[in-house]
């Protein structure tokens, strides 16, 4: 058994590491692996969970007694402990672990298992935390086959492989529910992979801080940002086998920073659609507010890696690293940056940000992202495109409208303000009982005070920041646009 799940644990145990915390939701799978490793090492295995605490004994005391027995005893032994992560901060428990490590009785080891660990600072140097990967598509296909069989259904091999692929990012037991739910959605028949994907989205909505994004945004719904589009165009086949054989590493990620409402989020979705790969949104604000932020981030990374190739969209990344608790933010940032630099799996990170003051300076440094793009207010040409896109999206051809005048009057408008103006013009026409006229659009534009006018200073600071650190997502803005600040 040499796989990504068991190998890291086998390595640290063979290396004699005395305390290992294994982060996984799959206790049964871990148990199998530990059983196999114990057999390889020829060491007896003892399991302990809260259910083994004698009735009437406080759990902390029972645990401390167990740890003392491990420390004082002789002869090799592996102790597999479940349910104890919540006690790591108890002084008597952390002390027991530290003295166990200090004495390091020969051949005695303990393995702790929990979905998430928060290791208190006093134990940081004594324990190893392994974040164990989620099942591979082949294992998930096997789980799906088993679940389908229990419902008297069978799938041909290729359909099963597609289902296994669609289930990536889930644990075995989650995959089982998702398959059952998909069968229900398919009226008791064999679900195809697209139904399974939809049900996975439902499951994901319950995982804290993560969400599968289902919006289908082609690049032609994103106005302007030609440099970004050109950059993507050069990487059309970046995740293909051909690119790999050519010696190209998969692209690592982009940072999109810039003005509010100008298409950063839209671009993240368009990027995933362009490559035909799924996109998962990570909510950094939610992570920093969690009781175990580092563990939640590790879990998110584990899920993204299991789903690779995937776009991991870290929206408002600055929120995750500017929490009130500076220590937590720093550790979180450290973990994230290390992963960004060392990741092997094709997880393409799209980080979006609009508050540069809150952005830790080490994040936008070269080598972490392939490129940092600055998304500015749309120039003249881009505003025209955005008008056309939003008129088109509401079934109106642009020809009857005087776009030149509109675009000129909509100076300093963001993409989202242009969209809002088109919508309010449509409402005006609708309530007047006729179709959209140029005057409705002109009126809506005249009534809008763009945010950029109100926050001129912030905009200036943002541009100043970007001048030396980022590449414009649109080339030659000044040539194309008369607008100056
Ligand atoms: N370049 C654009 N082309 C077409 N539509 C746009 C563009 N920019 C913005 N929009 C419209 O405005 C909406 C909001 O844009 P989006 O969410 O992408 O902005 P953002 O840059 O992510 O803003 P924030 O910084 O507030 O998150 C989009 O859903 C889209 O309808
Ligand atoms: Mg956004």
């Amino acid at each position: 058994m040499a796989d990504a799940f068991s190998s890291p644990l086998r390595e640290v145990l063979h290396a004699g590491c005395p305390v290992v915390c294994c982060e996984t939701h799959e206790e049964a799978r871990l148990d199998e692996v530990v059983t196999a490793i114990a057999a390889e090492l020829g060491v007896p295995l003892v399991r302990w969970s809260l259910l083994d605490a004698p009735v009437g004994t406080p759990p902390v005391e029972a645990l401390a007694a167990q740890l003392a027995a491990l420390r004082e005893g002789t002869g090799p032994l592996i102790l597999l402990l479940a349910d104890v992560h919540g006690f790591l901060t108890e002084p008597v428990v952390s002390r027991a672990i530290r003295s166990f490590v200090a004495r390091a009785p020969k051949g005695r080891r303990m393995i702790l298992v929990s979905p998430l660990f928060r290791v208190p600072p006093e134990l940081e140097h004594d324990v190893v935390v392994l974040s164990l990967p989620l099942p591979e598509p082949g294992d998930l296909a096997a789980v799906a086959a088993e679940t389908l069989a229990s419902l008297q259904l069978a799938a041909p091999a290729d359909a099963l492989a597609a289902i296994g692929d669609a289930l990536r990012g889930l644990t075995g037991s989650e995959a089982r529910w998702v398959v059952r739910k998909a069968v229900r959605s398919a009226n008791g028949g064999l679900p195809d992979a697209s139904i399974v994907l939809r049900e996975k989205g439902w499951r994901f909505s319950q995982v804290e801080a993560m969400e599968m994004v289902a919006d289908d945004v082609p690049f032609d719904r994103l106005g302007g940002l030609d440099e970004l589009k050109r950059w993507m165009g050069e990487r059309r086949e970046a995740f293909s086998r051909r690119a790999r054989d050519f010696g190209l590493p998969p692209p690592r990620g982009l940072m999109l920073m810039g003005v509010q409402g100008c298409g950063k989020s839209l671009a993240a979705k368009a990027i995933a659609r362009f490559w035909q790969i799924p996109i998962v949104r990570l909510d950094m604000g939610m992570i920093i507010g969690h009781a175990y932020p580092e563990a939640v981030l590790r879990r998110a990374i584990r899920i993204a890696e299991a789903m690779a190739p995937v776009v991991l969209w870290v929206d408002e990344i600055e929120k995750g690293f500017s929490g009130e608790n500076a220590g937590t933010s720093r550790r979180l940032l450290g973990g994230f940056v290390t992963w960004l630099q060392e990741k092997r799996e094709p997880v393409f990170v799209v980080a979006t940000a609009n508050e540069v003051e809150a952005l830790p300076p080490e994040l936008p440094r070269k080598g972490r992202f392939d490129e940092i793009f600055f998304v500015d207010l749309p120039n003249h040409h881009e505003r025209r495109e955005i008008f056309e896109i939003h008129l088109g999206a509401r079934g109106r051809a642009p020809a009857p409208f005087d776009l030149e005048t509109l675009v000129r009057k909509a100076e300093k408008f963001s993409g989202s303000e242009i969209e809002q103006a088109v919508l309010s013009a449509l409402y005006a026409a609708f309530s007047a009982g006729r179709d959209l006229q140029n005057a409705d659009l002109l009126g809506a534009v005249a009534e809008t005070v763009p945010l950029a006018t109100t926050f001129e200073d912030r905009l200036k600071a943002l541009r100043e920041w970007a001048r030396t650190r980022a590449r414009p997502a649109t080339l030659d803005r000044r040539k194309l646009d008369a607008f100056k600040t």
Side-chain angles (χ1 to χ4, degrees), residues 109-130:
R109 303 173 177 92
M110 73 174 94
I111 301 174
L112 285 59
V113 55
S114 167
L116 301 174
F117 276 101
R118 183 176 54 176
V119 177
E122 64 272 22
L123 285 179
E124 265 168 13
H125 294 280
D126 296 316
V127 310
V128 169
V129 179
L130 291 181

